[in-house]
Amino acid sequence: MDLQSALINLRDPMGVPFFPWLFQGLMVLTFALHIVVVNLVVGGIFMAVYHHFKGGEYGQRLSKGLARASTVNLSLAIVLGVAPLLFVQVIYDPFWYVANTLSAWWAMAFLLIIILGFLSCYVFYLKRQKNPAGFGFFGIAALIMVVFAGGIMSVFAMQQLLPEQWKAWYIVNDSLKTLGTGMYAFEHGRFLHFMVPAFINIGIYMMLYAWYFRPRTDIDQGYLDWVGRSGARLAKIAAMVQVVIGFWWLFSVPLQFSFYLNPLFLVGAALGTLVLVVLMMAEQNPDRYAVPLGLVSLVAVLGMSTAREVLRMNYLGRHDYSIYTYPVSLDLGSTALFLVTFVMGLIVIAYPIIIAFKLGRGTLSVEEG
């Protein structure tokens, strides 16, 4: 049996309940939302730890705020990560399950690492309320575990893209290697291309933080000025680094894909350049640029998520594999129920989010409340 036939036969014989493009689109969208929050977790914990050890009145205050936000963001990242994972299992199941069984121990370890990272993050936030100088180690531990968990996911993503190497990974010296302890594919450029934006987005987050609390008269305006300018400077430096990392990663992509000519890649690169240019102007007046930068960054991450999917299709296209040929067992009832539930969920959570936003900013009037 050739590789293409093997991949086809690994598909779910029941097929998918609707046309694959729907699940693909939702996968790209939910992955973008997930990775934005992951960026805030990684960047937030890093900056919280950095200012915890650096000290200073403003630094300690920011560290506490970011540590608290990181516990919430990590919860959101875990919840939002479920959706793209489920969509991958629906339309890329031959690749996802093989990548997992190749490194089965690491798939299980991922769960433990996330749990320990979550607990460490909470200890870092809660315990130093009484002992501000202590418990910094837990912040470092949380950061290491979150980054390590991201590295495991990056390995799984790469192993999916290289089915031509699965046999060599499974069979060593004419013996089956089924322990699932190995990790076989890791690209430093690709991983850093996901990690460095954490500092861009946490910088923009700090700008938004200053903008958000600006109407509050009970908060030191000098502190908000410092947070906003620090965020703009951090995001600008990280954006410059990301340009270098981006080229490094681009050179690792097989030339046969001509990915550097792909319109989606070019749009993503243009958005990234736009973010860098605006960041250069934002350092003197972060409040003015905070919201536009937040929106542009969201669009840029969505573009990156789309380009990532195009690249995956290029990799798998080398084996004449396409999700658009996946068998469809049309089930309009379950698909409609899923979509209606999805939309209703968004509507239900929108109201409390709006109220919480106004309450925190101090702009909720008595009549509205």
Side-chain angles (χ1 to χ4, degrees):
M1 181 182 294
D2 59 30
L3 182 56
Q4 183 192 9
S5 300
L7 294 173
I8 296 295
N9 283 297
L10 282 171
R11 288 172 165 177
D12 184 349
M14 295 292 291
V16 291
F18 200 76
F19 301 103
W21 54 261
L22 174 66
F23 303 110
Q24 186 183 34
L26 290 172
M27 179 184 67
V28 170
L29 174 63
T30 53
F31 179 77
L33 296 175
H34 166 66
I35 208 68
V36 166
V37 185
V38 168
N39 279 179
L40 297 181
V41 171
V42 174
I45 297 176
F46 180 91
M47 293 304 293
V49 171
Y50 171 75
H51 284 293
H52 172 78
F53 286 106
K54 185 181 180 185
E57 180 187 347
Y58 287 170
Q60 287 293 332
R61 189 171 175 180
L62 177 63
S63 176
K64 289 178 183 176
L66 289 177
R68 181 179 184 180
S70 295
T71 59
V72 178
N73 288 335
L74 186 52
S75 302
L76 284 173
I78 294 169
V79 172
L80 288 172
V82 172
L85 189 60
L86 291 177
F87 291 126
V88 165
Q89 291 175 16
V90 170
I91 55 177
Y92 287 111
D93 49 336
F95 306 91
W96 173 251
Y97 289 114
V98 171
N100 272 256
T101 52
L102 277 164
S103 305
W105 276 103
W106 291 106
M108 299 302 293
F110 172 83
L111 301 175
L112 178 63
I113 290 168
I114 282 293
I115 291 171
L116 292 176
F118 195 79
L119 292 175
S120 299
C121 193
Y122 257 101
V123 172
F124 177 56
Y125 161 56
L126 291 174
K127 282 294 183 181
R128 64 191 189 127
Q129 301 291 332
K130 296 180 180 178
N131 181 15
F135 295 98
F137 166 77
F138 286 94
I140 296 173
L143 181 62
I144 291 172
M145 290 179 195
V146 168
V147 172
F148 189 32
I152 293 175
M153 281 292 114
S154 185
V155 168
F156 287 167
M158 279 306 301
Q159 289 179 179
Q160 290 178 66
L161 302 180
L162 305 171
E164 68 276 13
Q165 297 192 34
W166 290 350
K167 186 176 178 181
W169 293 338
Y170 263 125
I171 302 175
V172 179
N173 297 326
D174 296 327
S175 298
L176 282 175
K177 187 179 178 182
T178 57
L179 289 175
T181 56
M183 299 178 81
Y184 303 96
F186 182 77
E187 278 192 2
H188 296 84
R190 179 188 175 99
F191 182 64
L192 289 175
H193 194 59
F194 278 99
M195 284 292 117
V196 174
F199 299 96
I200 301 175
N201 283 321
I202 197 62
I204 295 173
Y205 180 88
M206 289 164 61
M207 294 169 63
L208 287 168
Y209 176 96
W211 167 83
Y212 178 73
F213 286 112
R214 187 67 69 186
R216 294 268 296 268
T217 55
D218 59 329
I219 297 180
D220 181 358
Q221 297 296 304
Y223 167 68
L224 295 179
D225 291 341
W226 176 80
V227 172
R229 285 197 300 271
S230 299
R233 187 163 53 251
L234 172 67
K236 182 184 70 176
I237 295 171
M240 292 176 177
V241 174
Q242 177 70 346
V243 172
V244 178
I245 296 295
F247 278 107
W248 179 23
W249 167 74
L250 184 61
F251 288 135
S252 70
V253 175
L255 283 175
Q256 67 190 91
F257 298 160
S258 299
F259 192 59
Y260 53 88
L261 296 176
N262 189 288
L264 288 172
F265 166 77
L266 296 174
V267 170
L271 287 171
T273 304
L274 177 62
V275 169
L276 178 58
V277 171
V278 178
L279 280 169
M280 289 181 173
M281 298 186 294
E283 202 166 337
Q284 296 303 318
N285 189 359
D287 285 13
R288 179 182 177 187
Y289 295 96
V291 174
L293 267 173
L295 294 174
V296 173
S297 180
L298 279 176
V299 175
V301 173
L302 181 60
M304 184 188 74
S305 179
T306 306
R308 174 179 179 269
E309 176 61 10
V310 171
L311 188 58
R312 170 160 42 197
M313 293 174 70
N314 278 323
Y315 268 101
L316 304 187
R318 295 186 300 182
H319 309 288
D320 296 325
Y321 186 91
S322 170
I323 60 168
Y324 301 128
T325 61
Y326 209 111
V328 177
S329 300
L330 203 57
D331 186 344
L332 294 177
S334 65
T335 304
L337 179 63
F338 165 73
L339 292 175
V340 169
T341 305
F342 181 74
V343 173
M344 288 301 295
L346 293 178
I347 295 173
V348 167
I349 64 173
Y351 180 73
I353 288 177
I354 292 172
I355 296 298
F357 178 87
K358 291 184 175 180
L359 278 172
R361 202 168 190 231
T363 55
L364 184 67
S365 66
V366 176
E367 288 77 11
E368 286 178 290

